[in-house]
Amino acid sequence: MAMAIRQPGWYRGAIGFVLGAAFGFGLVIALRAISGLDLFQTEQTGYPHVIVPLITAPFGFLFGFGAFDYWFRWAAGKPTIPDDHSGHGAFRWQDYFKFNTDHKVIGIQYVVTTMFFFLIGGLLALLIRAELAQPGEQIVAANTYNGLFSTHAVVMIFLFIIPIFAGLANYVLPLMIGAPDMAFPRLNALSFWLLPIAGIIFLASFLAPGGSFDAGWTGYAPLSTGAPLGQSFFNIGVQFAGASSIATALNFLVTIITMRAPGMNPWRMPLLVWANLSTSLLVVGATPFVAGAQFMVFFDRALGMNFFQFLEGGDVISYQHIFWFYSHPAVYIMMLPGFGIISEIISTHARKPVFGYRLMALALIGIVVLSYSVWAHHMFVAGMFSWLRVPMMITTMLIAVPTGIKIFSWLGTLFYGKIHLYSTAMLFSLAFLVTFVVGGISGVMLGMVPLDIHVSDTYFIVAHLHFVLFGGSVFTIFAGIYHWFPKMTGRMYDERLGRIHFWGTLVGTWFTFLPMHWIGMDGMPRRVADYASVYGDWNLLISVSAFILGAVQLVFLYNMIVSWRFGPKAGDNPWRAHSIEWQVSSPPPVFNFDEIPRVVGGPYEYGTPGARHAIMGGEIVPEEVPEPEPTTVTSPS
Amino acid sequence: MTRLPILKLTLASLAFGAVQSVVLLQFDWFGGAAASAAGPIDLLLDVTIVVSSFIFAICCVALGYALIKWRVKPGDESDGLPIHGNTRLEVIWTVIPVIIVVALAGYSWAVLDDIESKDADRITVNVYSQQFAWTFGYPESGNKWSEGELHVPVDRQIDFKLHAQDVIHSFWVPEWRIKKDNVPGITTDALVTPDKVGTYQLICTELCGAGHATMRAKVVVEPQADYDKWVAGLEQEVPGGLLLTADQALEIEQQLQEKEGGIEGSGVDET
């Protein structure tokens, strides 16, 4: 027992948590006592004895859990624990509950954790739809309702879509570029463990007096600066999720830039690698802004500062500028990794090189650059200076160009291919193409100022963002999970259940989110618990569809859990793909490669006889590896 | 490599897009119209729907054709043709979308200028918002005040000055097509020329707290004579403090602090 307490792990983590909480609580009480203040301040924007422990307790847990052991020993000049990668690999299910530095273990930790939060967010969505099934108050009061949709959005964005892409890439990307691990394995593990902390803080806000944060995920000031205690939980939770995101992005950048296998020049990188490079550039540049915006709200609330207090010279609209300077790029943070996944899957299952590979990569970079210059399209009716609207309308609409290039190139990849439809991953990829086009078109409409003025803050927005995030991001997430499931687990999932899940999700998505366009354009505002009774029938249809969509996800869960345990052995390369992760065993060996592979060609050389992407270590190199001529036909006919 | 039936695919896309456009244009998507801005905005929407229909049609036809034509027969393990790209095609699908979006953006800009052009004989109406109620001031009619009910004359441009007392609210009458946030600390404005007599609803569209969904007001558009009579019948003037200047706000805040004794109300001397 004494041994267990000294070793990094859950016991020491629990002790650290308690000590951290006690330290924060004691610090507040002591300082207030010294200052002659009431020991407990319980204005709704205050509660220092709650919010300070909310910051210190997670750090206590992380210290105890072992997240900083190596760094502290090294900094203190003590002998470090020999870095023999003893934390690598997972051999029992318990190993997934440890501070593990293996990118493959961390990848699975990410995916499973974020899937858990996907279920929580989904349940919150179903509560929302239950309330909206009929006009009038059904099951929750208006302020509880506001808390439900705010938490739904925050959980889905910060704890599902953004991190699950980081998780999938964590598993796949080092293998893809022929690296033994990520560049900073300990930072990688820390990034993961910050995530459940953020999630627990967000969900714990339901226990705060006044309920969970209810100013929307956008948390506009001054509604947020005066909101009950739950808002502070949001402000703090975002810091943990954001730090996790930034650290992972730095890790990806360094890994991609410095750890590619010999021969993998930028034009030989799979598009998933390009996509994560682009995403990481966005995260590193933009995420500090959401952290800053939430700190400013937090300081206004807790310390009585005046960033957004209009009565004391604060500027209300500046919150929105700072917030959207992150949150518009965040839309692409939630989409670009999915673009990468789709490129891999369509190319593999159409047995053809990605059409226009270089333009596909450049389109990603184009989106990165443009996405920093469009944030004010969220503010066309916000009362900001009006001259900014037309320039931002033009940049916003121009993003349709690189996005269009990607859609057309995926379609071009299918032409003259050999299209296999047996895999659920491919079905989701093709459904993504159609569904995402709808979301893209409504996005262009929203970019047009006169149309945006009418539909801004209506259900049209809800429809658009769910077509983009569910029909877009979530479809690519499912595609990615199905595609790499055999690699991650070594077992095959059930394609029949996969198809049930696919068709249910596709139909459920369209029936849930398509009618929202109509009622929004006709006059139903968003973020309301009650609405005009003329929209009752449509809302009932939407609610029923949403429940079907929710129920179908249970098929997915069942399929994943049972196949992971009992599925048939998958083999190393069930999709006959060329990229490096498929050339190692399933699941890959603990250290990925005995010898670093050598990259000799592009990643998608399907159809060129004898073409190779990489030569694996230990392989007897053939006398002559034909370097494929980049065939470019001059006309499609 | 078999030739693509370009003509057939084009015709199929055109037919699909045309049918979709015709069907979609049957609906009044934005609901009833009762202001001069509605005409140009609804026309812009119709143009956008037609353009979008053809783009969506091209994607669907291309996907459908590829799936029918190149879906493998069971047991076929061969690869597709090693086509890496086609520069001419890639240039086409970069340049044409640029032209389409720039044209749509230019058209939108023209519509925006049109709906925001100011008439010389416009009248000003103040819109005050607070959790969770709308009140209205008529500065050109003796600064009279109405609660929960807005009256405006028909066929006359109204320059709404929007104010907020506490948090952000948003001013929207769907039939007018115009929306603008009421932002605390500053005055924003919205130009509307109602062109149809009738009763409408003003809806708050910016989340403002627990009562957001029910924060609505009645809007009456009536002939000028009726409007004049109605305003003349109002008794109350706009109460002081509704339209705060920065100085007034500071004063109120100071009074508040003196009364409560500091920010936290704990009696600490702030000096």
Side-chain angles (χ1 to χ4, degrees):
Chain A
M1 187 67 192
M3 193 62 190
I5 287 168
R6 288 175 59 188
Q7 291 294 317
W10 284 99
Y11 287 117
R12 221 181 69 174
I15 293 168
F17 176 84
V18 172
L19 289 179
F23 171 74
F25 185 81
L27 186 70
V28 169
I29 298 298
L31 287 176
R32 290 187 73 89
I34 293 167
S35 318
L37 296 163
D38 293 345
L39 292 187
F40 298 99
Q41 193 262 55
T42 52
E43 268 179 47
Q44 63 178 11
T45 57
Y47 282 98
H49 55 283
V50 175
I51 55 181
V52 173
L54 205 59
I55 300 167
T56 52
F59 279 103
F61 166 75
L62 288 172
F63 286 132
F65 198 58
F68 303 107
D69 274 24
Y70 185 94
W71 292 327
F72 278 173
R73 283 172 172 275
W74 191 84
K78 284 188 180 170
T80 52
I81 304 156
D83 197 21
D84 62 349
H85 296 269
S86 55
H88 268 57
F91 306 96
R92 301 170 304 155
W93 64 270
Q94 289 95 330
D95 289 344
Y96 288 103
F97 290 86
K98 286 180 182 160
F99 190 82
N100 198 311
T101 53
D102 183 344
H103 76 98
K104 298 185 291 299
V105 176
I106 294 172
I108 286 176
Q109 286 174 327
Y110 259 109
V111 172
V112 173
T113 308
T114 51
M115 269 294 157
F116 169 76
F117 284 110
F118 177 52
L119 289 183
I120 303 258
L123 288 175
L124 293 169
L126 293 184
L127 284 175
I128 292 169
R129 283 320 314 177
E131 170 59 41
L132 291 177
Q134 292 291 308
E137 192 175 306
Q138 318 298 318
I139 53 168
V140 292
N143 54 347
T144 315
Y145 177 83
N146 292 352
L148 286 180
F149 70 70
S150 305
T151 334
H152 162 72
V154 166
V155 166
M156 286 302 200
I157 292 168
F158 291 111
L159 286 157
F160 172 53
I161 296 182
I162 293 176
I164 199 169
F165 279 130
L168 282 169
N170 226 304
Y171 197 102
V172 173
L173 192 140
L175 290 163
M176 252 183 182
I177 62 172
D181 204 317
M182 296 281 278
F184 306 117
R186 279 179 289 271
L187 185 66
N188 200 17
L190 175 63
S191 304
F192 166 73
W193 284 101
L194 288 170
L195 207 64
I197 291 173
I200 290 166
I201 291 176
F202 289 143
L203 294 179
S205 73
F206 278 105
L207 305 174
S212 68
F213 48 94
D214 56 2
W217 85 277
T218 49
Y220 274 13
L223 187 61
S224 55
T225 52
L229 177 59
Q231 192 68 36
S232 297
F233 282 58
F234 171 64
N235 300 146
I236 293 168
V238 165
Q239 307 304 332
F240 285 98
S244 158
S245 207
I246 295 170
T248 304
L250 286 168
N251 218 338
F252 277 132
L253 282 179
V254 177
T255 307
I256 294 169
I257 292 169
T258 65
M259 292 178 68
R260 279 170 288 135
M264 183 175 276
N265 64 41
W267 297 122
R268 284 174 177 172
M269 297 195 314
L271 283 168
L272 184 99
V273 180
W274 272 104
N276 278 285
L277 178 72
S278 316
T279 308
S280 302
L281 287 173
L282 284 174
V283 172
V284 168
T287 306
F289 283 82
V290 75
Q294 297 317 317
F295 265 131
M296 289 158 91
V297 169
F298 184 62
F299 291 159
D300 271 13
R301 294 169 56 82
L303 305 178
M305 291 188 181
N306 308 325
F307 290 112
F308 311 120
Q309 306 293 343
F310 63 98
L311 286 174
E312 301 180 53
D315 182 356
V316 170
I317 288 183
S318 64
Y319 173 83
Q320 298 173 33
H321 281 293
I322 306 168
F323 178 81
W324 288 113
F325 194 79
Y326 160 74
S327 294
H328 197 78
V331 173
Y332 297 96
I333 292 168
M334 292 186 268
M335 198 59 259
L336 297 188
F339 286 173
I341 290 171
I342 296 300
S343 295
E344 301 301 320
I345 293 173
I346 287 189
S347 164
T348 304
H349 290 275
R351 314 301 307 160
K352 248 194 88 212
V354 171
F355 195 92
Y357 165 89
R358 291 194 180 200
L359 193 59
M360 287 289 265
L362 292 176
L364 288 166
I365 301 297
I367 291 174
V368 170
V369 174
L370 275 175
S371 75
Y372 278 111
S373 63
V374 300
W375 77 90
H377 68 216
H378 295 271
M379 303 166 60
F380 285 155
V381 300
M384 62 165 187
F385 18 83
S386 54
W387 63 265
L388 192 56
R389 294 176 303 171
V390 168
M392 291 259 167
M393 165 170 75
I394 295 169
T395 49
T396 300
M397 292 174 76
L398 280 177
I399 287 201
V401 175
T403 315
I405 289 172
K406 301 203 74 77
I407 299 279
F408 297 135
S409 299
W410 287 318
L411 291 170
T413 308
L414 295 173
F415 276 58
Y416 298 103
K418 297 274 184 178
I419 303 170
H420 295 265
L421 291 182
Y422 60 91
S423 149
T424 310
M426 183 64 165
L427 295 177
F428 267 108
S429 304
L430 298 177
F432 156 83
L433 289 185
V434 179
T435 315
F436 186 71
V437 167
V438 175
I441 287 172
S442 59
V444 172
M445 291 170 70
L446 288 171
M448 299 160 75
V449 181
L451 299 183
D452 183 75
I453 290 174
H454 180 69
V455 294
S456 188
D457 277 312
T458 67
Y459 255 78
F460 190 86
I461 305 284
V462 182
H464 162 72
L465 75 90
H466 282 97
F467 257 83
V468 174
L469 288 181
F470 206 106
S473 309
V474 178
F475 277 25
T476 66
I477 288 166
F478 284 136
I481 290 178
Y482 281 115
H483 188 65
W484 283 292
F485 182 85
K487 181 52 64 184
M488 291 177 165
T489 62
R491 292 178 185 274
M492 196 46 107
Y493 60 89
D494 184 336
E495 295 283 11
R496 201 172 49 88
L497 290 178
R499 271 194 292 278
I500 293 171
H501 173 230
F502 165 73
W503 285 108
T505 305
L506 180 64
V507 174
T509 303
W510 277 70
F511 274 85
T512 304
F513 301 119
L514 196 63
M516 290 182 180
H517 291 103
W518 309 331
I519 57 177
M521 290 195 278
D522 198 52
M524 180 168 161
R526 68 188 286 208
R527 293 174 164 169
V528 290
D530 188 9
Y531 51 86
S533 51
V534 289
Y535 305 122
D537 292 345
W538 282 120
N539 272 293
L540 184 62
L541 171 72
I542 293 170
S543 290
V544 170
S545 309
F547 274 88
I548 294 171
L549 181 58
V552 166
Q553 306 315 314
L554 297 177
V555 178
F556 169 74
L557 266 194
Y558 173 84
N559 193 2
M560 290 296 108
I561 293 170
V562 172
S563 304
W564 196 351
R565 186 81 179 80
F566 302 110
K569 290 259 186 280
D572 294 349
N573 194 357
W575 315 124
R576 298 184 292 125
H578 283 195
S579 48
I580 298 175
E581 83 272 25
W582 296 105
Q583 315 311 320
V584 294
S585 64
S586 297
V590 171
F591 297 105
N592 294 356
F593 309 102
D594 296 330
E595 198 180 312
I596 296 299
R598 209 151 52 78
V599 177
V600 294
Y604 309 113
E605 299 301 339
Y606 300 101
T608 308
R612 299 284 299 270
H613 173 48
I615 294 169
M616 304 304 289
E619 230 179 307
I620 294 157
V621 184
E623 290 287 303
E624 206 172 78
V625 180
E627 173 87 356
E629 286 285 311
T631 26
T632 301
V633 286
T634 47
S635 152
S637 53
Chain B
M1 196 155 87
T2 49
R3 285 186 73 85
L4 281 180
I6 304 256
L7 184 67
K8 279 186 191 166
L9 288 176
T10 312
L11 287 177
S13 303
L14 287 176
F16 185 153
V19 170
Q20 198 190 333
S21 304
V22 169
V23 171
L24 290 179
L25 290 180
Q26 301 308 309
F27 300 92
D28 269 341
W29 292 111
F30 281 180
S36 65
I41 290 179
D42 292 2
L43 183 62
L44 177 64
L45 176 70
D46 288 347
V47 171
T48 313
I49 285 177
V50 171
V51 174
S52 308
S53 293
F54 284 101
I55 293 170
F56 186 65
I58 291 170
C59 295
C60 289
V61 167
L63 179 63
Y65 180 75
L67 289 186
I68 293 166
K69 177 92 177 157
W70 290 294
R71 185 172 175 182
V72 290
K73 319 236 164 353
D76 183 354
E77 300 240 310
S78 62
D79 283 349
L81 290 178
I83 304 168
H84 287 77
N86 179 324
T87 309
R88 188 155 47 135
L89 204 54
E90 288 166 40
V91 169
I92 288 173
W93 67 44
T94 308
V95 172
I96 291 182
V98 170
I99 295 170
I100 292 175
V101 297
V102 169
L104 280 178
Y107 180 20
S108 302
W109 192 356
V111 171
L112 186 65
D113 273 355
D114 181 16
I115 63 179
E116 293 190 342
S117 62
K118 291 185 174 172
D119 291 355
D121 68 339
R122 65 184 184 276
I123 59 169
T124 301
V125 172
N126 279 311
V127 178
Y128 306 103
S129 56
Q130 64 192 74
Q131 289 170 329
F132 302 97
W134 298 96
T135 55
F136 309 93
Y138 305 87
E140 286 160 24
S141 309
N143 212 19
K144 289 293 179 53
W145 192 50
S146 67
E147 289 179 86
E149 188 169 330
L150 166 70
H151 282 241
V152 289
V154 72
D155 290 329
R156 182 96 182 265
Q157 191 176 52
I158 325 281
D159 189 353
F160 289 105
K161 299 288 180 197
L162 309 176
H163 314 276
Q165 299 293 102
D166 36 39
V167 299
I168 303 173
H169 303 275
S170 194
F171 173 91
W172 186 41
V173 178
E175 289 81 359
W176 289 351
R177 305 287 188 270
I178 298 294
K179 177 185 296 134
K180 187 59 81 69
D181 283 3
N182 299 46
V183 182
I186 62 172
T187 303
T188 55
D189 52 358
L191 287 166
V192 182
T193 312
D195 62 2
K196 202 184 268 178
V197 169
T199 306
Y200 308 96
Q201 206 171 32
L202 166 58
I203 301 173
C204 175
T205 49
E206 185 64 65
L207 177 64
C208 58
H212 168 57
T214 50
M215 181 170 164
R216 305 208 165 183
K218 186 177 163 191
V219 178
V220 179
V221 179
E222 56 199 358
Q224 182 78 42
D226 293 357
Y227 167 75
D228 290 339
K229 210 169 102 190
W230 182 83
V231 176
L234 288 175
E235 288 167 3
Q236 244 187 314
E237 279 188 21
V238 173
L242 262 191
L243 184 58
L244 299 175
T245 64
D247 285 344
Q248 282 171 330
L250 205 62
E251 203 175 308
I252 291 172
E253 182 70 9
Q254 275 163 358
Q255 284 167 0
L256 215 63
Q257 286 192 11
E258 276 161 28
K259 200 168 70 186
E260 294 178 357
I263 294 172
E264 294 191 346
S266 51
V268 180
D269 194 345
E270 286 214 305
T271 55

